[in-house]
């Protein structure tokens, strides 16, 4: 391998090595959520080789702003030598041991710490290796819990339209994106959908009610659809409701005021568990360790992953209330579920060190202080005719693109294809901004930078987006 050092934090591979990697990728690599035709066509893919702070570099030496924290994950920023050293030290001492009838110190200490952060009586931590597995755990546990309570017919789960909760068969049943599920039908039965909290589309979702002018009333309407679904399916058949504090897919839908208070009331009324899916929103993304605290949610379970280690090592967890844990405290009752690498010693050590960084550098406080500045910068884009809405919270924002700003008319599938994949993805790449242009629902651009950035970086991202989006109409 020929390697040319450009700067202290920048590397570039030789043309020959780049070509070699692209060929190997074409021959053997199957990327996730990606069109393999990109590689088959010979165009190749960006190969990211280094990260430092909020920047990443590809194998040609090109620098990008990481406007998505990898995948809502590198919350503490790239290139943390401290985390790498913690991982190496732990691997030398105890590289692996399962938590199947045994334990190790890091899994114990991390469980204690997560429980100390979690709201209410969420005191038990069940480890996995990622977010989808954490959701799968919560789904299976909800069904088993009700069987132990003598109510075996409670097996259905409710989630929101366009919501993404993972790809395992159970988690996929909870995911509310039909196009992501149809090729895998039949999926695990029992998943039912209710409206999300996209206030920008409130009048379309609730025609004739005039809710597009009243955020709080819209929130109550959306929450009441959960009650309606429980009653329609029968309370004795519904086990749990799965909701993200801020819904990711579709473009960052925050909860309206009073929404989660009403949802909790509904769940209590019908004896249904409430699961907060915080795979993205936990660990500072919204400005607290858990966004459930930001929005005063009292869930029965929290699922989390991603930012727990800032992506430096894989881990996930389902944090469970004392109520749900109670029947497992006695006799021979066992939750026959687990993962080889759940609570991995290296990942647990990295998570503990990562959480130390959060506290020492006050990353949550940084998000809470600077989120309004981030929003203000992005709202400058509303001057462009293609930008219909800017929404989100913390360091987690979505920009919805529209065909007609006055009517909120969205793009056809063909137009969305041209816009997102024909123009935006390439244009953002060339401009040096790594973010997400997505059409799960209506076309949106999502931004979720590392929690270490501030006004200077917001301005840089805003300038790039303004330039790229200003040119977008030419390609429609």
């Amino acid at each position: 391998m020929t390697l040319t050092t450009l700067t202290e934090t920048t590397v570039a591979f030789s043309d020959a090595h780049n070509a070699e990697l692209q060929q190997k990728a074409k021959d053997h690599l199957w990327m996730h959520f990606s069109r393999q035709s990109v590689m088959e066509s010979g165009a190749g893919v960006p190969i990211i080789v280094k990260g430092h702070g909020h920047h990443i570099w590809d194998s040609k030496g090109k620098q990008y702003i990481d406007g998505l924290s990898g995948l809502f994950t590198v919350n503490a920023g790239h290139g943390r030598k401290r985390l790498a050293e913690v991982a190496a030290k732990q691997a030398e001492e105890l590289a692996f041991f399962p938590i199947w009838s045994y334990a190790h110190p890091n899994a114990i200490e991390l469980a204690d710490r997560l429980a100390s952060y979690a709201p209410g009586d969420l005191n038990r931590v069940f480890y996995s290796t990622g977010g989808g597995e954490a959701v799968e755990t919560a789904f299976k546990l909800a069904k088993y819990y009700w069987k132990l309570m003598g109510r075996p017919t409670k097996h259905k789960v409710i989630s929101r339209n366009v919501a993404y909760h993972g790809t395992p068969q159970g988690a996929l049943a909870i995911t509310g994106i039909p196009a992501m599920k149809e090729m895998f039908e039949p999926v695990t039965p029992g998943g039912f959908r209710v409206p999300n909290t996209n206030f920008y589309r409130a009048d379309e979702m609730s025609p004739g009610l005039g809710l597009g002018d009243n955020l709080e009333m819209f929130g109550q309407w959306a929450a009441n659809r959960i009650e309606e679904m429980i009653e329609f399916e029968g309370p004795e058949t519904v086990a749990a409701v799965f909701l993200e504090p801020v819904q990711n897919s579709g473009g960052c839908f925050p909860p309206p005021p009073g929404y989660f208070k009403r949802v909790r009331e509904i769940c209590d009324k019908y004896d249904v568990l409430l699961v907060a899916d915080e795979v993205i929103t936990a660990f500072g993304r919204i400005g607290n360790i858990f966004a459930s605290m930001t929005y005063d949610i009292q869930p029965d379970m929290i699922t989390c992953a991603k930012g727990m280690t800032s992506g430096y090592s894989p881990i996930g967890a389902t944090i469970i209330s004392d109520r749900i844990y109670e029947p497992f405290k006695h006799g021979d009752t066992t939750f026959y579920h687990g993962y080889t690498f759940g609570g991995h010693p290296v990942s647990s050590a990295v998570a503990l060190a990562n959480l130390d960084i959060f506290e020492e550098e006050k990353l949550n406080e940084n998000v809470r202080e600077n989120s309004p500045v981030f929003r203000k910068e992005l709202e400058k884009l509303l001057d462009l005719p293609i930008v219909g809405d800017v929404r989100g919270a913390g360091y987690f924002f979505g920009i919805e693109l529209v065909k007609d700003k006055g009517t909120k008319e969205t793009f056809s599938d063909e137009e969305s294809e041209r816009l997102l994949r024909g123009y935006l993805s390439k244009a953002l790449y060339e401009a040096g901004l790594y973010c997400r242009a997505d059409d799960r629902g209506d076309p949106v651009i999502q931004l979720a930078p590392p929690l270490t950035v501030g006004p200077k970086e917001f301005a840089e991202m805003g300038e790039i987006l303004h330039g790229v989006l200003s040119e977008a109409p030419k390609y429609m």
Side-chain angles (χ1 to χ4, degrees), residues 65 67 374 377-382 384 386-387 390 397-399 401 423-424 427-429 431-437 444-449 457-473:
I65 298 173
F374 194 12
E377 183 65 44
L378 294 178
E379 285 178 344
K380 294 177 183 178
L381 300 172
L382 289 168
L384 299 173
I386 198 173
V387 177
V390 172
F397 283 93
I399 303 162
L401 308 178
Y423 170 66
L424 279 179
L428 290 167
Y429 164 77
L433 175 60
Y434 170 73
C435 59
R436 189 175 198 173
V444 295
I445 293 175
Q446 283 183 289
L447 294 163
E457 291 76 26
F458 301 153
E460 291 176 8
M461 288 185 283
E463 184 177 351
I464 291 172
L465 286 166
H466 195 281
V468 169
L469 292 174
S470 295
E471 297 296 312

Side-chain angles (χ1 to χ4, degrees), residues 256-320:
Y259 174 80
F260 273 105
K261 181 176 184 293
R262 178 64 184 134
V263 171
R264 183 72 261 181
E265 290 172 354
I266 293 166
C267 289
D268 289 342
K269 178 179 178 180
Y270 295 99
D271 219 4
V272 171
L273 303 179
L274 175 59
V275 182
D277 184 350
E278 295 222 35
V279 171
I280 288 176
T281 60
F283 308 109
R285 181 57 53 196
I286 309 299
N288 282 296
I289 292 295
F290 294 111
S292 290
M293 302 168 68
T294 305
Y295 298 112
D296 196 24
I297 307 168
Q298 183 51 64
D300 297 290
M301 288 186 267
I302 287 176
T303 60
C304 55
K306 294 187 182 289
M308 195 190 312
T309 62
S310 288
Y312 283 71
S313 192
I315 199 167
T318 306
I319 310 175
I320 299 140

Side-chain angles (χ1 to χ4, degrees), residues 27-237:
D27 290 344
H28 303 292
L29 179 64
W30 197 330
M31 296 185 297
H32 297 198
F33 285 93
S34 302
R35 294 180 180 179
Q36 289 299 110
S37 58
V38 173
M39 287 197 292
E40 293 294 331
S41 69
V45 295
I47 300 172
I48 304 302
V49 299
K50 192 173 185 69
H52 182 79
H54 63 280
H55 286 114
I56 53 176
W57 286 264
D58 67 21
S59 58
K60 296 181 179 180
K62 182 176 175 60
Q63 175 181 299
Y64 310 81
I65 298 173
D66 184 357
L68 202 65
S69 301
L71 192 63
F72 315 105
T73 299
V74 191
N75 290 5
H78 295 276
R80 292 275 188 175
K81 186 177 180 181
R82 173 177 175 181
L83 297 183
E85 290 174 342
V86 164
K89 180 181 178 181
Q90 181 58 49
E92 289 180 357
E93 187 173 292
L94 180 66
F96 171 76
F97 209 80
I99 51 174
W100 299 43
S101 301
Y102 286 77
H104 56 80
N106 290 337
I108 295 169
E109 294 291 350
L110 180 59
D112 177 76
R113 192 153 178 186
L114 292 174
S116 74
Y117 290 137
D121 68 342
L122 273 68
N123 289 314
R124 301 289 173 168
V125 177
F126 192 100
Y127 290 112
S128 56
T129 58
E133 291 176 352
V135 171
E136 192 85 358
T137 299
F139 189 8
K140 291 174 72 174
L141 184 54
K143 290 193 288 186
Y144 190 18
Y145 170 78
W146 288 120
K147 285 179 171 61
L148 292 172
M149 293 295 99
R151 303 170 74 178
T153 61
K154 290 176 78 69
H155 68 280
K156 297 175 183 176
V157 289
I158 294 171
S159 59
R160 296 186 289 203
N161 291 337
V162 199
Y164 176 80
H165 293 282
T167 56
Q169 282 288 322
L172 192 60
I174 303 171
T175 290
I177 308 170
M180 193 177 289
K181 297 154 60 147
E182 59 187 15
M183 65 286 290
F184 306 117
E185 296 284 358
V187 297
T188 303
F192 296 87
R193 239 59 61 205
V194 295
N196 56 47
T197 59
N198 182 359
F199 185 57
Y200 184 64
R201 299 288 177 183
D203 286 332
E204 297 173 31
M205 296 163 65
S206 57
L209 298 181
L211 299 180
D213 296 322
N214 191 315
L215 178 60
E216 190 166 352
M217 285 183 61
F218 171 68
Q220 294 299 298
W221 173 87
N224 287 336
R225 302 289 69 74
I226 296 174
E227 181 174 35
E228 183 178 80
M229 183 63 76
I230 292 172
E231 290 179 339
F232 183 81
E233 290 299 321
E236 285 307 309
T237 71

